[in-house]
Amino acid sequence: SRKTFTVTGAGGMRDADVAYQQAQTKRRAIVDDPEAAGANIDWLINQAPGAEWLFPGPEHNPRAPTQRIAIKHAPNQTIVLKYKSQPVHPLNFDGVETNAAKTVSVSVWRGLPLADGDNRFDADLVDERGAIVTTLTRIVHYANAVARAVLVPEESVLVADGLHKPVIAVRLLDRAGRPVRAGVTGGFRLNPPYVPAQLIEGEQQRQLAGIDRFSPTYRIEGDKGVAYIELAPTTESGSVVINFSFPQDERTTRNEELRVWLEAKPRDWVVVGFAAGTVGYNTLAGNMQSLAESGEEDGVYNDGQVSLYAKGRVLGKWLLTLAYDSDKPSGQGGRESLLSTIDPNEFYTLYGDGTGQLYDGASGEKLYLKLERDQYYALIGDYETGLTQTQLSRYNRSLTGVKSEYHGEIVEFTGFASDTAQNFARDEIHGNGTSGLYQLTRGGIVINGEKIRIETRDRFRSEIIVASRQLLRHIDYDIDYSAGTLLFREPVNSRDFDFNPIFIVAEYETIGAADKQLNAGGRLGAQFFDGKLSAGVSFLRDEAISGKSNLGGVDAKLRLTPDTELRVEGAKSRSQNATPNQDGSAYLAEIEHHSGRFDALAYVRRQTAGFGVNQQNGAESGTFKAGVEAQVRLGEHLAVQGQTYRQENLTSGTTRDAANAQLEYRTGLWGARAGAQFAQDKRLPAKKRSHARLPWVQTAASSTRS
């Protein structure tokens, strides 16, 4: 299901206006609802005699860790309210109200404390003789921590018209599958070329204040657990990828990826063009020297330029975007560039205003052409390959060529091809505690062809990305495209507070010095059983001056239960370069479970040294890893954690077997844990004789205070 609009020309733009304004009005009403916490309510209106729990209701979602309670009863009755089987403090009692007819009374309590999860309240109704007439029970669930996210298409505004902000509604749930309370915030990441509206609106203010670091955040509004993520207005239809990281405890984080499609809307034609030319005729008579000898040719000559931009509706519901410049140089100032941007300092001297720029029709060649409708588009121009759904068959590059993408309810397809001389490079640089300069392995970088991010990786399992932050040029870093150097606006630490290593991951395109080569690929996927099963096949052809590589892969995801998911991938590659042909393969399988008190993950993955097209982390090359980890919550503050794993270096034969377990107690202000850890490393000596170090056991007890 997805939000759709009936759009035709200018009327379609008005439909988008109406839908956007309705969504904004609904959101304001949800946020400003004063009755959500039971405030400003006359409990006696229209109440008939009897005993009833008036507030909170069964589905109430508290917005703060305190609770108001209202219970209807007979005037001759009193109520003994209990929390966790203990009477509540008398100071929380707010009094009794009785109607004029003396037939109904309502007792109210305020400021009752709530803990995360289920909170049980029991109300004993006692008559004038002290006998318990009945007992009313209410379970109040306080959801304060996000565990997973689901899309809410019916409350989203998924439009890419360049005028309105696309709004993506996401419902955030806790471990029990209940909506998280209003006011909770968190971070997210978007794939380019899409940009959070927060960045555009606050960029100038942050720069003036000297606050360069920026991470977009969501905020849950209302009691349904819905956060509304606004994007900057865009004309780029296609798939938006939103990545979330939800901390499960001190050491583990759950990553979630959601995809939603932005639809372009047909509109009235906009045509802007410029043409200039010269036509003449050269001839010379009675000369002592021929015209050709002077460097000119006899006959007709011409010179000129044609520039055109057009956008509008064709063939009913199709939207066409066309841009052409016959005099376009090969790059800015002779340098190659991608995903063109406008430099306001060069063309428009605007300072201190709220102007934002949109570039519709970016192409490294003279022609840009895009034809789109509903869930499909095809283009000729600059694009991001965007194959990031998988781990082993991922391919994320910026190229100039042809691309087509389709996302239906069952089938989805992405394909691209580019005849380019560009070369792809990937560097992983360990942070050294400074802001730079950091030297990349190559210079001559294509303008706008880089993707820079900061990754924090688990110090024991390098395949786990603890945190990842995509950086923005001029906001987070500056780059010298010729020299291949990076300078950051803040220092990049070598490790975090848990001693996990921090890396600068730079993926970039370099200017090719050889003939153009064909780079192409795509992925075909399908969903079955209402989205519970998804599967796909991928193929990639990557060719550069260093050689050619082909990669094929398959992937599948199966949601066994609402709390359990199985993921499998397999891929094989073949490289042809100066050395003999090299084959590589990789596979992985993961099954993950998250429920109210129990979390578990079992995994196995293997990647040979010769696998891939330089898109995977270097630490995973030539490794085999398998393991199981789990956590059980024994109570509100107590949990048991454990894991066991085996790692093997396929090149050297070195292996590590490890296991650990710990008991952790944590409250709001302090925590303590105690546990034991076992590890055994083995390596093969030069003569391939079996050799092993003695295993060791470590016990540890620690406490933390914040």
Side-chain angles (χ1 to χ4, degrees):
S1 60
R2 56 183 181 271
K3 187 72 174 179
T4 59
F5 305 101
T6 302
V7 181
T8 55
M13 305 304 289
R14 289 192 294 269
D15 290 345
D17 284 332
V18 171
Y20 184 77
Q21 293 301 327
Q22 288 177 345
Q24 296 286 49
T25 302
K26 180 179 180 181
R27 289 171 54 187
R28 285 192 293 268
I30 290 174
V31 174
D32 299 335
D33 183 10
E35 297 183 0
N40 304 327
I41 298 178
D42 188 344
W43 301 108
L44 294 174
I45 294 179
N46 299 325
Q47 293 293 339
E52 183 182 356
W53 201 294
L54 299 181
F55 189 86
E59 301 299 323
H60 176 64
N61 189 1
R63 297 188 175 186
T66 60
Q67 184 61 54
R68 184 194 310 265
I69 289 179
I71 300 176
K72 180 178 67 172
H73 56 90
N76 63 340
Q77 295 175 338
T78 59
I79 297 180
V80 178
L81 184 64
K82 298 178 181 179
Y83 175 58
K84 295 183 177 179
S85 302
Q86 298 296 324
V88 302
H89 198 283
L91 291 178
N92 293 114
F93 185 59
D94 198 38
V96 182
E97 297 180 8
T98 304
N99 63 0
K102 306 297 183 180
T103 58
V104 174
S105 293
V106 176
S107 295
V108 179
W109 290 260
R110 298 177 62 182
L112 296 170
L114 296 176
D116 288 354
D118 289 340
N119 296 265
R120 180 186 176 113
F121 291 92
D122 296 301
D124 293 335
L125 275 66
V126 182
D127 61 17
E128 61 271 15
R129 296 189 301 273
I132 298 177
V133 177
T134 185
T135 298
L136 303 178
T137 300
R138 177 73 80 223
I139 303 296
V140 180
H141 187 88
Y142 181 61
N144 191 50
V146 181
R148 62 190 183 96
V150 295
L151 288 171
V152 188
E154 61 273 13
E155 296 191 27
S156 302
V157 182
L158 307 178
V159 57
D161 58 13
L163 299 175
H164 302 91
K165 297 176 185 177
V167 180
I168 302 173
V170 179
R171 178 168 284 112
L172 301 162
L173 308 174
D174 70 352
R175 293 177 174 276
R178 300 285 295 273
V180 177
R181 69 173 179 87
V184 170
T185 62
F188 65 92
R189 303 188 307 276
L190 283 176
N191 66 314
Y194 304 107
V195 177
Q198 296 171 348
L199 176 64
I200 301 301
E201 295 168 352
E203 178 178 343
Q204 184 182 26
Q205 290 83 350
R206 289 194 310 279
Q207 289 180 339
L208 291 175
I211 307 173
D212 290 324
R213 182 170 181 174
F214 170 74
S215 296
T217 58
Y218 62 80
R219 184 179 187 276
I220 297 177
E221 302 176 4
D223 299 327
K224 301 296 184 180
V226 178
Y228 299 90
I229 298 175
E230 290 188 343
L231 279 57
T234 179
T235 57
E236 292 285 340
S237 62
S239 182
V240 181
V241 182
I242 310 176
N243 290 283
F244 299 92
S245 294
F246 303 131
Q248 304 298 298
D249 50 55
E250 274 192 331
R251 296 183 56 184
T252 61
T253 300
R254 181 181 183 183
N255 298 316
E256 184 127 16
E257 180 181 283
L258 300 179
R259 290 176 176 264
V260 65
W261 185 274
L262 294 187
E263 294 185 10
K265 299 304 173 186
R267 53 170 299 162
D268 291 340
W269 275 95
V270 173
V271 180
V272 180
F274 169 82
T278 302
V279 178
Y281 184 84
N282 284 329
T283 185
L284 185 64
N287 57 299
M288 297 179 62
Q289 183 182 6
S290 68
L291 192 62
E293 291 178 1
S294 65
E296 300 291 341
E297 294 184 359
D298 190 8
V300 178
Y301 68 90
N302 62 79
D303 186 22
Q305 177 185 0
V306 176
S307 297
L308 173 68
Y309 170 83
K311 192 182 188 79
R313 178 161 49 96
V314 296
L315 301 176
K317 293 185 178 181
W318 291 90
L319 179 64
L320 173 68
T321 305
L322 172 67
Y324 179 78
D325 186 355
S326 64
D327 203 33
K328 188 172 187 178
S330 59
Q332 299 176 356
R335 286 188 56 88
E336 297 184 19
S337 81
L338 292 166
L339 306 171
S340 302
T341 57
I342 300 172
D343 185 357
N345 294 324
E346 182 177 353
F347 297 103
Y348 312 102
T349 54
L350 301 176
Y351 300 97
D353 67 350
T355 302
Q357 62 171 268
L358 295 175
Y359 200 98
D360 191 18
S363 178
E365 303 294 337
K366 299 179 185 296
L367 175 67
Y368 176 90
L369 178 65
K370 185 175 184 180
L371 191 63
E372 51 195 317
R373 174 182 174 181
D374 298 333
Q375 309 290 304
Y376 170 81
Y377 73 80
L379 68 83
I380 300 173
D382 292 349
Y383 58 83
E384 303 275 357
T385 56
L387 296 182
T388 59
Q389 298 96 323
T390 63
Q391 297 185 43
L392 303 180
S393 303
R394 76 184 302 273
Y395 195 74
N396 195 19
R397 292 186 60 181
S398 301
L399 298 170
T400 301
V402 298
K403 182 182 179 182
S404 180
E405 192 170 359
Y406 170 75
H407 279 244
E409 294 183 358
I410 298 178
V411 178
E412 61 181 20
F413 166 78
T414 302
F416 67 90
S418 175
D419 191 20
T420 179
Q422 293 174 196
N423 297 301
F424 177 77
R426 175 188 170 94
D427 294 336
E428 298 179 9
I429 306 172
H430 197 189
N432 58 20
T434 70
S435 58
L437 293 172
Y438 290 93
Q439 181 68 53
L440 302 177
T441 56
R442 302 185 189 181
I445 300 172
V446 177
I447 297 174
N448 297 329
E450 84 281 0
K451 302 178 184 67
I452 311 296
R453 65 181 181 272
I454 302 295
E455 279 188 0
T456 304
R457 302 174 184 172
D458 189 277
R459 60 189 176 122
F460 297 115
R461 293 176 52 198
S462 57
E463 75 275 13
I464 295 180
I465 307 301
V466 177
S468 178
R469 183 164 65 96
Q470 195 75 31
L471 306 184
L472 299 174
R473 182 160 61 106
H474 301 317
I475 301 296
D476 300 303
Y477 70 93
D478 289 310
I479 183 172
D480 187 323
Y481 287 108
S482 298
T485 58
L486 291 172
L487 178 64
F488 295 90
R489 299 297 179 91
E490 60 182 17
V492 181
N493 296 325
S494 61
R495 294 181 180 273
D496 65 5
F497 289 110
D498 294 323
F499 303 105
N500 296 311
I502 299 176
F503 289 89
I504 303 165
V505 180
E507 298 174 331
Y508 54 97
E509 304 285 335
T510 62
I511 299 173
D515 295 336
K516 292 183 177 182
Q517 306 290 346
L518 177 63
N519 289 260
R523 180 180 182 273
L524 177 64
Q527 298 187 42
F528 309 95
F529 310 115
D530 295 329
K532 294 181 179 179
L533 172 63
S534 61
V537 294
S538 304
F539 174 78
L540 300 171
R541 171 192 166 94
D542 183 89
E543 188 168 2
I545 190 172
S546 58
K548 181 176 69 174
S549 299
N550 293 328
L551 183 146
V554 296
D555 62 273
K557 290 183 180 180
L558 175 61
R559 186 165 291 279
L560 300 172
T561 69
D563 302 318
T564 308
E565 183 177 75
L566 172 66
R567 301 181 292 269
V568 294
E569 290 186 37
K572 189 171 183 179
S573 65
R574 181 177 179 84
S575 300
Q576 301 173 4
N577 46 41
T579 61
N581 296 344
Q582 189 174 27
D583 293 337
S585 61
Y587 64 82
L588 67 86
E590 299 175 338
I591 183 168
E592 188 172 11
H593 175 84
H594 294 277
S595 61
R597 294 186 176 273
F598 178 66
D599 299 319
L601 171 67
Y603 63 92
V604 58
R605 63 180 296 154
R606 185 179 188 273
Q607 180 177 323
T608 62
F611 171 78
V613 289
N614 196 25
Q615 290 278 332
Q616 283 74 36
N617 289 342
E620 306 313 309
S621 179
T623 61
F624 170 83
K625 300 179 179 181
V628 178
E629 57 186 50
Q631 176 177 263
V632 180
R633 289 170 176 77
L634 303 179
E636 183 179 343
H637 305 291
L638 193 63
V640 175
Q641 302 172 351
Q643 67 172 330
T644 178
Y645 61 87
R646 178 182 178 86
Q647 299 179 356
E648 179 181 355
N649 188 306
L650 300 178
T651 303
S652 65
T654 302
T655 62
R656 165 173 288 184
D657 296 301
N660 65 70
Q662 69 178 15
L663 180 67
E664 181 178 19
Y665 181 86
R666 176 165 292 278
T667 65
L669 297 177
W670 65 276
R673 61 177 179 265
Q677 179 171 290
F678 166 87
Q680 176 177 270
D681 293 345
K682 295 181 180 179
R683 64 181 178 88
L684 293 176
K687 295 183 180 181
K688 298 183 179 180
R689 292 178 301 184
S690 177
H691 174 75
R693 296 193 326 193
L694 293 176
W696 53 273
V697 176
Q698 174 182 338
T699 61
S702 63
S703 65
T704 59
R705 185 175 183 87
S706 58

